[in-house]
Amino acid sequence: MPIALAVHGLANVRDLGGLEREDGSTTPAGVFVRAEVLDRVDAAGWDALRSHGVRTSIDLRRPEEITGSVPDDVLSLHVDLDGDERDFWAAFEADGRWGTPLYYADHLRELPHRLAAVLEAIASAPAGGILFHCGAGWDRTGLVAAVLLKATGVTEDAAAADYLASFANAESMRALHGRSFDVEERRAVLGRFGHTADSAFRAMYRQLDLHDWLRHAGVDAATERAIMTWRAL
């Protein structure tokens, strides 16, 4: 199961360590942390993140979504994972798939440079743990997490458990952030396409051939090595 963290100001935060790999080992803790928007993280919360080893924060949101700031001693990077390619996004926004894993495969195929830029930022970040986040810490963050988990051979069951943890955290997120994260709407969209959250994520994860995608995206050898080895840890 994902490693939940106690960070004041976050309700959908977890370490990607402790997840089962195909070879029977587990992923190392302290390398990658996923979360939602950081605006409510106070001094105590940042102390907890620093104590956990976080030294870099990567914000995956669009430029117009950017809010808040991080402490000066944490490197802050912004890499727009969505992009502004309206020809791509129009259909997904119209039918609601943008908030589900149902857009992942198309995004990877049609906008490979977007995720490639995130991976390059991860590979070139200084030593220490990396926190990456979007608004809800759900699907943009979920796409990056899925690729990182695939890279290190995490089992389908463990990767799906990580994705589904956001659904389990939804009520706590609503209480903390004071807004709905559209859980039932997400499920309704998935249902219209014959899926549950679990089946949609699993279908994408099962079909993802990361080595082929890295070639498709033109990811350089140093970045590939950093991602496949989780920064050589």
Side-chain angles (χ1 to χ4, degrees):
M1 292 294 293
I3 299 174
L5 301 178
V7 179
H8 195 265
L10 293 174
N12 195 27
V13 58
R14 51 195 178 272
D15 190 305
L16 294 185
L19 296 174
E20 184 180 6
R21 292 162 156 157
E22 296 288 353
D23 65 4
S25 66
T26 57
T27 53
V31 183
F32 296 118
V33 173
R34 58 176 293 175
E36 78 270 36
V37 62
L38 306 179
D39 294 10
R40 294 182 179 273
V41 181
D42 60 12
W46 281 110
D47 284 345
L49 289 169
R50 288 190 197 91
S51 294
H52 193 70
V54 171
R55 298 294 180 266
T56 299
S57 168
I58 301 178
D59 190 334
L60 304 173
R61 295 176 295 172
R62 295 173 177 176
E64 63 269 22
E65 295 180 85
I66 301 301
T67 56
S69 60
V70 303
D72 290 343
D73 62 340
V74 176
L75 176 64
S76 179
L77 303 174
H78 297 98
V79 185
D80 179 6
L81 180 60
D82 275 354
D84 57 1
E85 290 86 353
R86 298 308 308 160
D87 288 346
F88 175 83
W89 284 110
F92 293 101
E93 292 174 357
D95 62 21
R97 285 177 295 161
W98 67 272
T100 77
L102 295 176
Y103 82 82
Y104 286 2
D106 293 271
H107 190 281
L108 290 167
R109 182 177 61 255
E110 298 184 33
L111 305 179
H113 59 290
R114 293 291 176 180
L115 180 60
V118 176
L119 300 185
E120 289 162 6
I122 289 172
S124 61
I130 295 175
L131 180 152
F132 56 95
H133 75 94
C134 54
W138 208 308
D139 281 295
R140 285 173 287 192
T141 298
L143 174 55
V144 174
V147 168
L148 292 173
L149 297 181
K150 192 74 170 187
T152 194
V154 167
T155 67
E156 182 182 312
D157 285 348
D162 172 67
Y163 178 74
L164 293 173
S166 292
F167 284 84
N169 292 337
E171 183 56 31
S172 297
M173 292 167 66
R174 186 202 62 76
L176 175 63
H177 297 288
R179 67 182 180 88
S180 168
F181 288 91
D182 304 318
V183 175
E184 294 311 314
E185 290 84 347
R186 291 172 190 263
R187 287 181 171 139
V189 169
L190 289 161
R192 288 200 298 273
F193 287 88
H195 277 292
T196 63
D198 182 65
S199 70
F201 180 87
R202 286 174 180 273
M204 178 283 304
Y205 193 77
R206 191 178 305 132
Q207 294 166 12
L208 175 58
D209 186 321
L210 190 55
H211 290 286
D212 280 356
W213 181 83
L214 290 165
R215 301 285 82 71
H216 171 63
V219 171
D220 64 70
T223 296
E224 178 176 355
R225 184 166 55 252
I227 298 305
M228 300 303 291
T229 64
W230 273 31
R231 289 162 54 85
L233 293 179

